[in-house]
């Protein structure tokens, strides 16, 4: 299964979610890294230059929502999947510049749907 993307970054403070999401995304994107804070995420953004970012809102050092615009300015073609379990309207994330909003908990299929990937595709 191929996504056309080669690098992804997950910024979320939940270690289990990062590991699960990473294992799912690696089926379609070869290089997947994760960070648990905004600061660590910014550092990895500059090093990795990902094409896809899964960004949580509530992080220990701030809100991911406020990082969306900065990410879009530094990596104009990046695809941001905003993820949140809090009572945040999805349209708010989209207004800030996110490309897709996924409410936690989400399914494996919703991850592939967000990336516009057919999970049944056999090509790599």
């Amino acid at each position: 299964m191929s996504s056309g993307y080669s690098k992804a970054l997950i910024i979320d403070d939940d270690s289990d979610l990062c590991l699960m999401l990473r294992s799912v995304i690696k089926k379609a994107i070869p290089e997947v890294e994760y960070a648990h804070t905004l600061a660590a995420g910014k550092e990895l953004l500059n090093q990795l230059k990902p094409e896809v970012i899964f960004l949580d809102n509530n992080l220990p050092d701030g809100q991911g929502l406020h990082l969306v615009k900065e990410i879009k300015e530094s990596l104009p073609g990046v695809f941001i999947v905003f993820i949140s379990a809090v009572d945040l309207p999805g349209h708010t994330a989209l207004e800030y510049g996110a490309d897709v909003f996924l409410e936690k908990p989400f399914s494996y299929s919703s991850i592939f749907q967000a990336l516009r990937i057919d999970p049944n595709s056999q090509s790599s």
Side-chain angles (χ1 to χ4, degrees):
M1 151 185 358
S2 177
S3 66
Y5 300 116
S6 62
K7 298 177 190 174
L9 175 62
I10 303 161
I11 305 174
D12 195 298
D13 60 334
D14 182 330
S15 296
D16 290 337
L17 179 86
C18 286
L19 292 172
M20 180 278 302
L21 195 51
R22 181 175 188 230
S23 71
V24 171
I25 295 170
K26 280 191 81 70
K27 294 176 182 176
I29 302 174
E31 188 174 351
V32 182
E33 300 292 335
Y34 57 86
H36 299 300
T37 64
L38 288 175
K42 285 182 187 182
E43 193 172 308
L44 276 175
L45 277 171
N46 294 324
Q47 293 171 11
L48 186 64
K49 304 277 191 254
E51 294 114 347
V52 177
I53 298 171
F54 283 80
L55 178 62
D56 186 23
N57 190 45
N58 287 329
L59 295 158
D61 55 346
Q63 291 190 320
L65 196 60
H66 301 298
L67 186 60
V68 173
K69 185 176 179 181
E70 184 179 329
I71 292 171
K72 287 290 191 171
E73 287 173 358
S74 65
L75 298 169
V78 73
F79 189 82
I80 298 176
V81 179
F82 199 82
I83 54 178
S84 183
V86 298
D87 196 18
L88 172 79
H91 65 83
T92 301
L94 300 176
E95 288 169 1
Y96 271 73
D99 295 288
V100 174
F101 175 80
L102 290 180
E103 185 176 351
K104 292 179 186 176
F106 44 80
S107 66
Y108 290 159
S109 63
S110 66
I111 296 166
F112 293 120
Q113 187 176 17
L115 295 173
R116 297 176 181 95
I117 299 170
D118 179 1
N120 299 313
S121 169
Q122 297 302 312
S123 64
S124 302

